[in-house]
Amino acid sequence: MLALARDVSVGQVLTAGDLREVGVAVDAGVAVVGADLVATVVGRPMATGVSAGALLTPASVGAAVVPVAGQAVAALALRPGQFPPEVAAGARVAVVFVPGQAGAATGPPGEGGPVWPAVVVGVTTAPNEQATVVSVQLSEAAARRVAAVPVGQLSIVVLSAGGGR
């Protein structure tokens, strides 16, 4: 079977270096890509983000499946301290508005401030860059509001897989 040798993001074109052959027993009803089909997936874009070590499935290769109807993807330029370093594609997060210097609070903000639930679809840190771009999928209306917030005034909180806001 084929597994991912490293994390890949939505839209990334697969290379042979992104893949590795693994030996696993798979039930007949489980859709995976066999190692003999490597030539059919190399050079194709990823439909979803997949973490290193995960088995490649036919549905994870092809046209992007995000954002889904009613959703949008927003890019957040974040500096260290504005997101947990463990954040990765697939994580459920809350995008939190943090007032700038002009609106500096004397204590922690109260409940009910701007918080938008989202799912991380990609994390990119370019060499020699001071910011990490975290792409998040959220409702179209929330994406427009998040995109309008000035750089430096958003943070990400990683939520539990089954938790709420």
Side-chain angles (χ1 to χ4, degrees), residues 10 44-48 59-66:
V10 174
R44 294 189 59 205
M46 289 296 294
T48 61
S60 60
V61 180
V65 293
V66 293

Side-chain angles (χ1 to χ4, degrees), residues 39-124:
T40 67
V41 295
V42 169
R44 294 189 59 205
M46 289 296 294
T48 61
V50 181
S51 298
L55 292 175
L56 188 65
T57 67
S60 60
V61 180
V65 293
V66 293
V68 296
Q71 300 280 297
V73 175
L76 312 176
L78 304 172
R79 293 190 177 97
Q82 292 179 300
F83 65 99
E86 300 82 11
V87 73
R92 286 185 59 255
V93 298
V95 179
V96 180
F97 173 74
V98 180
Q101 294 294 9
T106 57
E111 289 291 321
V115 175
W116 301 278
V119 175
V120 175
V121 295
V123 179
T124 305

Side-chain angles (χ1 to χ4, degrees), residues 124-135:
T124 305
T125 303
N128 303 321
E129 292 293 324
Q130 294 181 357
T132 296
V133 176
V134 179
S135 297

Side-chain angles (χ1 to χ4, degrees), residues 1-2 20-22 33-39:
M1 301 302 148
L2 290 176
R20 64 184 176 103
E21 187 175 331
V22 295
V33 178
D36 58 326
L37 298 174
V38 68

